[in-house]
Amino acid sequence: MPELPEVEVSRLGITPHLLGQVVEKVNIHNANMRWPVPDEVYQLQGLAVNSIERRAKYLLLGCERGSVILHLGMSGNLRVVAATEPLKKHDHIEFILASGKALRLNDTRRFGACLWQQPGECHTLLSKLGPEPLTDEFTAQRVYEQSRNKKVPVKQFIMDNAVVVGVGNIYANEALFKAGIHPKREAGKVSLKRYQALVPIIKETLAAAIVQGGTTLKDFAQSDGKPGYFAQQLLVYGRKGEPCLHCEEPLKEIRLGQRSTVYCSQCQK
């Protein structure tokens, strides 16, 4: 599943091709996504894209009549291609630009979304989201206060979009390892001092992933039109049974919230 850095890299990748461009036509080839694609999306036709923003894992293409909200789901990706290029299987939605290019949403499993937000309104999917992780709103003090009396494991707590958006499974694994915090520890039993260590690590981990992904943007609109999602240097995620890079103890794997959770029993307490 694309996580926040991948979505941010997609935003950075499509921005030079879309921002300020007039959308000549909207083609909805399959409206049966996670939620039915509303007809309001056609309102983008004939208008210029005046903003391209990201909120959590949602991308918002803004125009004077409102915003198209895009979500990549579990298997989706965005491609910028020549409008004359034949459609690929699972190209469900496309925005034909005056430049002769097209932005296409391809989604094999159709868990992604294409929705509409009216001007001045906040879509229900966005209304209860917590702060962005790379902003000053996301602080250790805030997280500490929200965690009091919470018995949920800290890994699931920091993956809660009401606490902070965009800390997906990969980055929760990595950040907790770097902070030396056991993923099963109750969120309410993590001290302020440890949150003061964890929050900057979350910020650094996500920021580094975005920077690393940003180095692939030159490939965004080349042969297959896809962004070159980066090969990540992961310390624990996907390394079950391999030696810890700090102490060489074999890494363990458990399931938390139906997600794979890899950790070091020696380094994380």
Side-chain angles (χ1 to χ4, degrees):
M1 177 184 296
E3 295 208 28
L4 184 146
E6 287 85 353
V7 178
E8 178 64 10
V9 167
S10 290
R11 185 189 71 81
L12 295 170
I14 67 175
T15 293
H17 304 285
L18 264 74
L19 191 60
Q21 285 289 325
V22 172
V23 177
E24 291 189 338
K25 192 173 183 182
V26 175
N27 291 325
I28 300 175
H29 302 293
N30 189 340
N32 297 315
M33 304 290 285
R34 184 173 183 182
W35 299 283
V37 179
D39 288 341
E40 286 86 349
V41 169
Y42 287 111
Q43 293 187 67
L44 191 57
Q45 285 185 164
L47 299 179
V49 177
N50 55 33
S51 65
I52 303 172
E53 300 175 345
R54 180 191 53 76
R55 182 70 172 104
K57 296 182 185 180
Y58 297 92
L59 290 175
L60 289 84
L61 312 182
C63 68
E64 63 184 46
R65 293 177 187 161
S67 300
V68 171
I69 301 174
L70 299 175
H71 193 282
L72 301 180
M74 298 183 70
S75 59
N77 66 74
L78 293 170
R79 298 175 5 257
V80 177
V81 298
T84 54
E85 182 175 309
L87 291 172
K88 291 187 176 183
K89 188 177 182 179
H90 308 300
D91 278 346
H92 301 311
I93 298 163
E94 64 176 340
F95 304 92
I96 307 297
L97 308 174
S99 65
K101 295 180 180 178
L103 175 69
R104 292 177 180 169
L105 173 62
N106 185 285
D107 188 357
T108 305
R109 301 179 69 179
R110 287 190 284 116
F111 286 164
C114 180
L115 301 168
W116 182 259
Q117 178 175 268
Q118 296 289 350
E121 295 184 1
C122 185
H123 196 281
T124 54
L125 290 173
L126 310 179
S127 62
K128 296 182 180 180
L129 293 175
E132 289 286 330
L134 300 180
T135 65
D136 292 339
E137 291 181 68
F138 179 47
T139 66
Q141 185 65 42
R142 177 184 179 130
V143 176
Y144 173 75
E145 291 173 0
Q146 287 180 295
S147 70
R148 294 308 84 190
N149 301 318
K150 295 289 176 60
K151 296 185 181 299
V152 65
V154 65
K155 177 171 178 268
Q156 290 173 261
F157 178 71
I158 63 172
M159 290 179 64
D160 184 345
N161 279 333
V163 175
V164 58
V165 300
V167 183
N169 193 41
I170 293 174
Y171 300 104
N173 275 273
E174 296 294 296
L176 288 169
F177 173 73
K178 293 176 185 177
I181 300 173
H182 196 291
K184 285 186 70 175
R185 179 174 288 276
E186 290 183 13
K189 292 184 177 179
V190 176
S191 67
L192 174 59
K193 183 177 180 180
R194 301 195 83 185
Y195 278 124
Q196 287 171 335
L198 177 61
V199 166
I201 286 171
I202 290 174
K203 290 174 181 275
E204 291 164 8
T205 302
L206 291 171
I210 291 168
V211 170
Q212 191 177 0
T215 64
T216 68
L217 289 180
K218 63 182 182 296
D219 299 323
F220 196 94
Q222 292 189 1
S223 58
D224 64 358
K226 295 181 181 180
Y229 288 155
F230 41 100
Q232 300 171 67
Q233 303 300 315
L234 301 176
L235 301 177
V236 289
Y237 182 82
R239 298 190 60 241
K240 171 190 175 183
E242 296 181 31
C244 171
L245 297 178
H246 289 173
C247 72
E248 298 189 349
E249 182 77 10
L251 297 174
K252 296 182 178 180
E253 182 178 38
I254 55 174
R255 304 289 290 184
L256 285 177
Q258 300 182 337
R259 299 293 186 90
S260 170
T261 303
V262 183
Y263 68 99
C264 176
S265 59
Q266 295 299 311
C267 296
Q268 293 173 257
K269 303 296 182 181

